[in-house]
Amino acid sequence: MNIADEIKRLHELHQAGALSDAEFAQAKARLLATGDTSASGPHQNLGFNQLNQFRRSKTDQWLGGLCGGLGKFTGMESWIWRLMFVFFSLYFGAGVVAYLLAWIFVPEEE
């Protein structure tokens, strides 16, 4: 979707009463400031850039630091991740495979 289509959609929402005047102006300004919103735009790799910040922990680790890194990355406690890996390992067998693959492919923090 290009900028013109987005502005048209915002205008339709504003006309329908879903957006106030201030919300419409703010959304329009934000849209114009970000530029092109098409799939080939700069926002396409936003998820991958954020995922590239994921690292294994050196300080909060039992085996490979993966659960400590997941805890830092998601904001959850690392013991919750450990419990989930144990659960998936015992009941499905996929936890061990996932942990080993992540241990191999996720780099350690610096």
Side-chain angles (χ1 to χ4, degrees):
M1 200 177 264
N2 62 22
I3 294 177
D5 293 336
E6 288 287 333
I7 291 176
K8 181 179 176 186
R9 195 187 80 184
L10 284 174
H11 181 69
E12 290 169 358
L13 288 171
H14 182 251
Q15 292 296 327
L19 294 175
S20 68
D21 292 336
E23 291 171 332
F24 173 71
Q26 184 181 19
K28 184 178 174 183
R30 189 178 325 132
L31 182 64
L32 292 173
T34 60
D36 189 17
T37 61
S38 66
S40 62
H43 304 291
Q44 179 183 8
N45 293 327
L46 183 62
F48 290 116
N49 290 337
Q50 189 176 19
L51 188 60
N52 284 334
Q53 296 174 357
F54 173 52
R55 299 283 187 258
R56 290 185 290 131
S57 176
K58 283 185 177 180
T59 57
D60 185 12
Q61 66 179 0
W62 282 8
L63 291 175
L66 184 65
C67 293
L70 280 169
K72 287 180 184 177
F73 184 71
T74 61
M76 290 174 41
E77 294 289 329
S78 59
W79 67 268
I80 296 172
W81 286 105
R82 289 182 183 103
L83 188 65
M84 288 176 28
F85 274 112
V86 168
F87 175 77
F88 281 106
S89 296
L90 292 176
Y91 290 105
F92 304 113
V96 174
V97 174
Y99 194 92
L100 289 174
L101 287 174
W103 194 351
I104 291 169
F105 291 110
V106 174
E108 193 171 45
E109 69 185 1
E110 298 166 0

